[in-house]
Amino acid sequence: MSRNDPIAALIDLMARLPGLGPRSARRVVLHLIRKRGALLQPLADAMQAVARSARECLNCGNVGTSDICEICESEARATGLLCVVEDVADLWAMERSGVFRGRYHVLGGTLSALDGVGPDDLRIPQLKSRLASEGITEVILALNATIDGQTTAHYIADELGGAVSVTSLAQGVPIGGELDYLDDGTITAALNARKAF
Amino acid sequence: MSRNDPIAALIDLMARLPGLGPRSARRVVLHLIRKRGALLQPLADAMQAVARSARECLNCGNVGTSDICEICESEARATGLLCVVEDVADLWAMERSGVFRGRYHVLGGTLSALDGVGPDDLRIPQLKSRLASEGITEVILALNATIDGQTTAHYIADELGGAVSVTSLAQGVPIGGELDYLDDGTITAALNARKAF
């Protein structure tokens, strides 16, 4: 296999995907070559289509194929609820649960002094301007339960002040969770937030 | 994300690659969308190029971009040595070591009574016809050290009879291997094949 070979070039590119290395990239490419018609060609076409059409929603930061995403376009989702998430993967996770019918705001990361990420890097100004223009009554902070996520949540709650009701996802024992496998922090949070049975 | 969305279609296709599932496919696709220019477009182009040009070598079964692969084309590799491997990944592994300068023959699998794989499914007839046409003096069986691989090796050795010298890769302790981590079979093989120091 010489290095100017298109197969070698494809392996090099595949090895740059998250979660893949040189070995798994070779395995994937061999699989693709074996299934040229059924998988490689459709995948090449799908990538071409996404490369041509994918863009970030100018309003919320979701990815989609138009300047304003389907969720921001939908009048049915103008419920006055706005769910703030760190990134698009979190938005997709919320959408899979199917329980939230409002709109989203994707921050694009978390505040981080170490990495030099400040409020203006995180679409926080856009978040503030949406409160009035979309008649938001409640902002739900659905940030990850990590140090950075919670720091960002506190910052946003402070910034929005009394202008709007700010809530966050409940913390506690996950459904199907076994106490023996949970960390101390989760058990502490669940105990502190205990409720009448 | 509606299901006729090109992004959802790309995620579905990516999730069918070996080693990827729905979660890692979503992660890869988000990464690709963030790096549209630097990664997604080049990857789409590389896949298109491979889909258009990749084919199996008619002589040895290697994959490449022409009907006869570079190794079979090269006169320098007509050394009279023929290395028999199970599949193209094994051929690439041999080539990475850089130590073998002969030609290859890719079987495309191993004999398996359970899966109904017989000699005619494995390019064994083509192997026999190459012995004379390419003046092969030694066939090196570089099959995996699994039950199926070794069964196939014995079958091929029997078939080629006295027509040509048949050898196989040495078995023993891998370089860098620690005895405490090796299985009993490897230690037994290494002990039986011990050599003067």
Side-chain angles (χ1 to χ4, degrees), chain A residues 2 6 10-11 13 17-18 26 28 30-32 36 40-44 47-48 50-51 54 65 70 89 92 96, chain B residues 2 6 10-11 13 17-18 26 28 30-32 36 40-44 47-48 50-51 54 65 70 89 92 96:
Chain A
S2 66
L10 179 57
I11 292 172
L13 283 167
L17 297 183
R26 283 195 297 269
V28 163
L30 271 179
H31 182 82
L32 285 172
R36 278 194 287 285
L40 178 54
Q41 188 61 55
L43 196 55
M47 282 194 179
Q48 201 65 255
V50 171
T65 53
E70 284 181 19
W92 289 354
R96 279 199 301 282
Chain B
S2 65
L10 179 57
I11 292 172
L13 283 167
L17 297 183
R26 283 195 296 269
V28 163
L30 271 179
H31 183 81
L32 285 172
R36 279 194 287 286
L40 178 54
Q41 188 62 55
L43 196 55
M47 282 195 179
Q48 201 66 255
V50 170
T65 52
E70 284 181 18
W92 289 354
R96 280 198 300 281

Side-chain angles (χ1 to χ4, degrees), chain B residues 108-192:
Chain B
T110 49
L111 293 175
S112 167
L114 274 177
D115 299 332
V117 180
D120 292 347
D121 302 314
L122 286 188
R123 306 174 56 86
I124 289 177
Q126 292 93 319
L127 171 60
K128 287 183 195 163
S129 72
R130 286 183 70 185
L131 296 188
S133 68
E134 298 185 39
I136 301 300
T137 55
E138 180 179 347
V139 169
I140 302 168
L141 300 174
L143 301 179
N144 291 334
T146 56
I147 300 281
D148 281 348
Q150 293 308 301
T151 306
T152 309
H154 282 291
Y155 175 85
I156 293 174
D158 283 349
E159 281 291 299
L160 302 187
V164 70
S165 155
V166 179
T167 58
S168 72
L169 294 184
Q171 298 192 321
V173 181
I175 305 303
E178 297 181 49
L179 290 191
D180 194 19
Y181 289 92
L182 287 177
D183 60 300
D184 299 349
T186 302
I187 290 179
T188 307
L191 195 61
N192 289 339

